[in-house]
Amino acid sequence: SLNSNSLYEFVVYCNCDNSESNFVKYFTLKFTELGLKKLIYTYFVEEGTSVKTIITSKGVKHIKLLGNGSFDSNECVAILKQSDIVVTNPPFSRFDDIVRLITNHHKKFILLGSLDARSHKIIYEQFKSKTIFNGYSVKSGGLYYSIPSYYPLTTTTAVKIIDGVRYINIPSRWYTNFNVDTSIIPFLKTGIKFNTHNYTKFDNYDAINVSSIKLIPDNYNKPMGVPLTIFDRLNPNQFKVLAIRKGIDGKDLSINGITPFTRVIIQRV
């Protein structure tokens, strides 16, 4: 876990953020308290060129970029190489790309991403190898995110408009490569006993489907397919993860030919 000295003398890079970003506001406010060496932030613009802002103990500099400020542009990758840590809320559609970029350059990161990112292959593999963890603070529900005017929305649910700005609520989690001790998570006990009449099996994995974490039977020791939110409650000394999203045939898990919401296959240790 982090403390006030964790980022001492760090160059912090917020590579998907402008001056309105809460990350930028936080690190600007806490610059001296955290002992930062430098704060740099850049942001993507759909048309034209972006700006790099550098904050040090001596002041603030704004430098015009040649390109649009995309985090994977040559200019921004050059900044990444000079940084110690990336802290940002990247576009969810490019979450895998930014994790791959940061890890390839061996940098620390704290990212805000969607809960569903846990089921992405690259993220899942890093969780298995204990090179990425979920942070402690976001454990249920979602967060509201502003949506650019040019970005199309395919839903009207969980959307609100404030002063003409669109916001959408998305189940979210922190992702980091700072070590997070998941063994301190209390063991899950629901008080539910297994009954064959209450659970169905998957077509393509020998496991029962459990539609809610609250329905995980305490006395069942075989594989179970449970919602993604299990990761908020998963102590590695109680459950091991066998698979995610896919059956043994490589296809999405299904029940009577119908695919439920994303499931994680777990089993008691």
Side-chain angles (χ1 to χ4, degrees):
S1 60
L2 298 181
N3 55 53
S4 59
N5 297 318
S6 296
L7 303 182
Y8 182 74
E9 282 293 295
F10 267 39
V11 176
V12 177
Y13 184 24
C14 300
N15 59 354
C16 300
D17 302 80
N18 60 24
S19 60
E20 294 301 308
S21 160
N22 285 326
F23 291 122
V24 170
K25 292 177 181 178
Y26 173 81
F27 286 118
T28 300
L29 180 65
K30 299 286 187 177
F31 190 92
T32 302
E33 180 181 333
L34 295 173
L36 300 184
K37 181 177 182 180
K38 190 181 297 184
L39 170 64
I40 306 173
Y41 61 91
T42 55
Y43 56 94
F44 172 78
V45 293
E46 189 179 17
E47 297 181 1
T49 57
S50 187
V51 174
K52 171 176 68 174
T53 300
I54 303 172
I55 298 175
T56 67
S57 58
K58 296 180 180 180
V60 182
K61 290 183 180 180
H62 302 286
I63 302 172
K64 191 171 184 178
L65 296 176
L66 298 175
N68 61 10
S70 177
F71 65 77
D72 56 355
S73 66
N74 290 337
E75 289 178 294
C76 292
V77 171
I79 300 170
L80 172 65
K81 292 178 179 179
Q82 301 168 15
S83 305
D84 298 302
I85 184 172
V86 172
V87 183
T88 193
N89 165 214
F92 287 172
S93 61
R94 302 206 60 197
F95 194 80
D96 294 4
D97 297 329
I98 198 169
V99 169
R100 187 179 295 109
L101 177 68
I102 297 170
T103 54
N104 284 347
H105 286 86
H106 309 290
K107 302 297 183 179
K108 304 299 287 185
F109 64 82
I110 301 174
L111 304 175
L112 190 57
S114 71
L115 171 63
D116 188 62
R118 282 294 312 240
S119 68
H120 298 180
K121 188 176 187 299
I122 179 177
I123 308 301
Y124 173 56
E125 292 299 329
Q126 290 201 35
F127 270 101
K128 284 176 60 178
S129 62
K130 299 186 185 304
T131 54
I132 188 172
F133 303 87
N134 276 136
Y136 292 122
S137 59
V138 183
K139 290 299 182 185
S140 63
L143 300 173
Y144 276 96
Y145 299 87
S146 61
I147 306 298
S149 58
Y150 60 82
Y151 192 85
L153 280 178
T154 57
T155 180
T156 56
T157 59
V159 175
K160 63 182 182 181
I161 300 175
I162 302 176
D163 296 330
V165 178
R166 299 177 303 168
Y167 296 85
I168 186 169
N169 186 283
I170 301 175
S172 307
R173 296 296 183 272
W174 290 106
Y175 295 83
T176 183
N177 53 359
F178 282 99
N179 185 63
V180 175
D181 184 8
T182 54
S183 67
I184 66 174
I185 297 175
F187 274 24
L188 179 65
K189 294 183 180 180
T190 63
I192 300 294
K193 301 299 181 183
F194 176 72
N195 184 317
T196 55
H197 301 294
N198 295 334
Y199 302 91
T200 55
K201 282 200 167 187
F202 294 100
D203 302 329
N204 50 350
Y205 203 107
D206 187 13
I208 60 171
N209 177 49
V210 182
S211 60
S212 170
I213 303 301
K214 297 178 181 179
L215 298 178
I216 293 177
D218 290 332
N219 62 338
Y220 193 77
N221 297 316
K222 296 179 180 180
M224 301 174 277
V226 300
L228 275 173
T229 48
I230 186 61
F231 288 115
D232 298 335
R233 306 288 303 276
L234 194 146
N235 185 315
N237 296 318
Q238 182 181 24
F239 294 109
K240 57 183 176 181
V241 177
L242 304 178
I244 192 166
R245 192 187 289 272
K246 302 293 184 181
I248 58 173
D249 57 359
K251 298 179 181 179
D252 286 346
L253 291 164
S254 63
I255 301 171
N256 297 323
I258 299 174
T259 299
F261 290 107
T262 301
R263 291 288 182 261
V264 182
I265 304 295
I266 63 169
Q267 187 174 10
R268 293 185 186 278
V269 174

